[in-house]
Amino acid sequence: MMERNAVGSGRVRATTILCVRVGGEVAMAGDGQVTMGETIVKARSSKLRTMRDGRILAGFAGGVADALTLFEKFEAQLERHPRNLARAAVELAKEWRSDRYLRRLEAVLAVADRESSLMVAGTGEVIEPDDGILALGSGGPYALAAGRALARRTDLSAAEVARQALEIAAEICVYTNEEITVIELAASQAKGT
């Protein structure tokens, strides 16, 4: 869970992001809630985007301005390493950890292409899950557990697993709502054509 003190606003809590890889399909889901202290200040925020003409999915948990800065830095790394998501993520993590300004940014990124799903954090971590399912943010542990159970015990698509897992997380985590956005890799991208 990402938390920080914001001047005059109490604690700012993150969102919930889930990336699911099932049967060659890749989907990412995120809820829309933005909370400051004990108050919901926005219910329909989008924390997901596609990059590189839809070939990469990305989502964030944490500070919005911080995450947007990191998305820009990540896109610059993708320009340098256009066909290597892992290399771009590692280079971002190195830059994020070593740059005095970037070190202060409080966000976590999830990025995925047709080959891999990665979590990138400012402490230098670039983590690829063993089972292709990763989660970030306040409701991350709930979404991860639900996503794993659904992927193992159902024939749902990646997008359906992601949506239903986030719905379950929203039932448990007060910092996650049911205003869920789901993005997917295009079918031709998921199959590598």
Side-chain angles (χ1 to χ4, degrees):
M1 170 170 42
M2 297 293 301
E3 297 181 49
R4 66 182 163 101
N5 290 325
V7 178
S9 64
R11 289 162 55 168
V12 176
R13 301 235 184 208
T15 189
T16 302
I17 301 294
L18 179 68
C19 182
V20 176
R21 184 177 296 277
V22 174
E25 299 175 343
V26 182
M28 193 174 289
D31 80 307
Q33 184 166 300
V34 177
T35 309
M36 297 176 79
E38 303 301 317
T39 305
I40 297 168
V41 294
K42 187 168 176 74
R44 292 180 200 89
S45 178
S46 180
K47 295 124 185 183
L48 305 175
R49 67 167 45 171
T50 59
M51 298 177 168
R52 307 292 292 175
D53 297 323
R55 293 188 309 253
I56 295 175
L57 306 179
F60 74 88
V64 176
D66 293 352
L68 294 177
T69 299
L70 292 168
F71 276 154
E72 289 175 15
K73 294 288 186 180
F74 184 61
E75 286 178 314
Q77 291 297 341
L78 287 171
E79 289 296 320
R80 291 184 191 100
H81 311 286
R83 302 231 182 259
N84 194 334
L85 180 74
R87 176 79 187 270
V90 167
E91 293 301 321
L92 172 65
K94 287 176 11 184
E95 182 181 4
W96 190 352
R97 187 174 184 185
S98 63
D99 184 274
R100 179 177 286 180
Y101 168 72
L102 293 179
R103 263 192 311 232
R104 302 179 77 183
L105 300 181
E106 296 187 20
V108 181
L109 302 181
V111 295
D113 65 8
R114 58 188 152 85
E115 281 90 33
S116 58
S117 303
L118 304 168
M119 177 180 69
V120 186
T123 50
E125 287 94 2
V126 176
I127 300 170
E128 183 172 20
D130 291 333
D131 60 1
I133 301 173
L134 68 87
L136 315 172
S138 301
Y142 311 115
L144 180 63
R148 284 180 174 168
L150 288 166
R152 290 177 187 166
R153 302 288 183 229
T154 67
D155 292 326
L156 296 174
S157 69
E160 291 167 326
V161 168
R163 177 174 296 283
Q164 287 188 26
L166 238 63
E167 289 171 353
I168 291 168
E171 293 173 7
I172 301 167
C173 178
V174 297
Y175 298 104
T176 304
N177 71 7
E178 292 181 348
E179 294 292 332
I180 297 166
T181 302
V182 179
I183 58 175
E184 303 175 72
L185 286 179
S188 61
Q189 295 299 327
K191 295 175 183 171
T193 58

